[in-house]
Amino acid sequence: MAGNISDPGASVASRLLTVLGAFDDDHRAMTLSEMGRRAGLPLPTTHRLVGELVAWGGLVRRPTGEYVVGRRIWELALLAPTQTGLRQIAEPYLHDVYGATLATVHLAVREGAEVLYLDRLAGTASVPIVSTAGSHLPMHCTAVGKVLLAYAPDDVLALALGSMTRMTPFTLTQPGLLRQQLARVRRHGYATTVEEMSLGACSVAVPVLRDSAIVASLGLVVPRLTRDKTRLLGVLQAAATGIGRELGTGTGS
C-alpha cells in the first residue's frame, strides 16, 4: 500500500500527492480502483482527483482504461538540482561513450539504499535492459550500484547487505562476498556484473568523482565483457574524468 489518506480532514494537496505516490516501479499503469486502493481513498474521490491530474497533464489515460504518469511530472522532475546540473554536464559524455561503444550507457546516483538512474542511452546490441531513466534498481546486482555502494555510508551498506534479493541464478547474495567485491571496487576503481540483474547482460561501471567525493556512477551494459573490458573501461574512465572535472569547476552546481 502506497499510503492511506482516509482522514476526512486531509487537504486536497495531500490527497493529490497520495494519488501520485501510488505509482512506483511495480505499479507504472493502474486503473482508478487500483489507485484508490493503493492510496487509501474512496473511488469517487480518486475519480475526481485523477480527473484534475489528467486535465493538468500529470496523468494520462490509456485506451485500455489504465492511467500512467504524464509528461508534465517528468518535466518537473528534470528541474530538480540533482537532475539539472549533473545531467546537463554528463549528457555529451554519455553520447561520447555511446558513440565509442554502441552499448547502453547509464548515469546513476544513490537514492537511499537503491540506484536511481538519472539518464540512459539505449545501445544497439541485443541485451536485456530493465532500467529506465527515473527508475530504481537494487545496488548489489548492478555495476553502477556496486560502485555507489563501495563509497556509501555504513548504514546504507548494512541495508543493502540485508536485502540482497536474487534476481537471476547468478546474482550475488552472500554479504561476505559482496564486501570483498566492494573492497576491490575501491582499490581498482570499477565494478562489473555478469548476468546478475538480467540474463544475457553484463555491465561495467566507474565512479564520477568531484574533489575526490563520489557524486555518480557511469556504466554501460553489453552482452559480454571478456574481450573488451579494458577498452570499455578506458572509455568510461575518460568520460567520468571529464564529468568530474566540469563539476569541480562549479558549472554543475
Side-chain angles (χ1 to χ4, degrees):
M1 185 71 67
N4 192 317
I5 307 294
S6 56
D7 178 4
S11 68
V12 173
S14 66
R15 295 184 182 207
L16 281 169
L17 292 172
T18 303
V19 170
L20 292 174
F23 290 88
D24 60 23
D25 284 348
D26 297 320
H27 301 85
R28 293 174 176 266
M30 290 183 287
T31 63
L32 273 174
S33 58
E34 288 174 320
M35 275 188 282
R37 184 166 58 251
R38 283 181 53 77
L41 293 170
L43 188 58
T45 302
T46 305
H47 183 271
R48 175 174 56 81
L49 295 174
V50 167
E52 293 180 9
L53 286 167
V54 169
W56 177 70
L59 294 179
V60 174
R61 188 177 188 273
R62 288 177 169 174
T64 58
E66 293 180 314
Y67 292 84
V68 296
V69 174
R71 180 176 294 274
R72 191 78 178 269
I73 299 294
W74 177 244
E75 290 172 346
L76 282 176
L78 293 178
L79 299 177
T82 299
Q83 298 276 7
T84 53
L86 180 55
R87 285 184 75 252
Q88 287 176 1
I89 285 177
E91 184 177 9
Y93 292 96
L94 266 64
H95 283 280
D96 287 347
V97 173
Y98 172 77
T101 65
L102 298 182
T104 295
V105 187
H106 288 139
L107 178 69
V109 296
R110 180 177 64 83
E111 187 167 82
E114 292 184 307
V115 176
L116 169 61
Y117 288 84
L118 292 186
D119 209 345
R120 189 194 80 163
L121 293 181
T124 58
S126 180
V127 178
I129 304 292
V130 296
S131 63
T132 58
S135 67
H136 294 80
L137 286 178
M139 302 183 77
H140 70 285
C141 53
T142 57
V144 288
K146 289 182 181 181
V147 166
L148 295 166
L149 192 58
Y151 298 91
D154 290 341
D155 59 335
V156 174
L157 177 59
L159 282 174
L161 292 175
S163 57
M164 296 176 65
T165 305
R166 185 179 296 279
M167 310 302 292
T168 77
F170 303 101
T171 304
L172 184 66
T173 57
Q174 296 84 12
L177 291 179
L178 180 58
R179 284 184 181 273
Q180 293 176 18
Q181 286 193 4
L182 298 180
R184 287 197 293 271
V185 172
R186 291 189 292 271
R187 285 198 306 271
H188 302 304
Y190 71 90
T192 61
T193 65
V194 178
E195 298 188 290
E196 294 184 41
M197 185 68 224
S198 301
L199 293 176
C202 302
S203 60
V204 58
V206 301
V208 176
L209 304 175
R210 176 173 57 189
D211 299 328
S212 301
I214 188 167
V215 294
S217 182
L218 182 64
L220 48 80
V221 183
V222 292
R224 62 190 63 84
L225 285 171
T226 50
R227 187 172 54 189
D228 291 335
K229 186 174 77 171
T230 300
R231 181 180 69 86
L232 297 175
L233 264 175
V235 173
L236 285 173
Q237 288 167 341
T241 299
I243 297 170
R245 185 183 301 115
E246 290 201 38
L247 288 171
T249 65
T251 56
S253 59

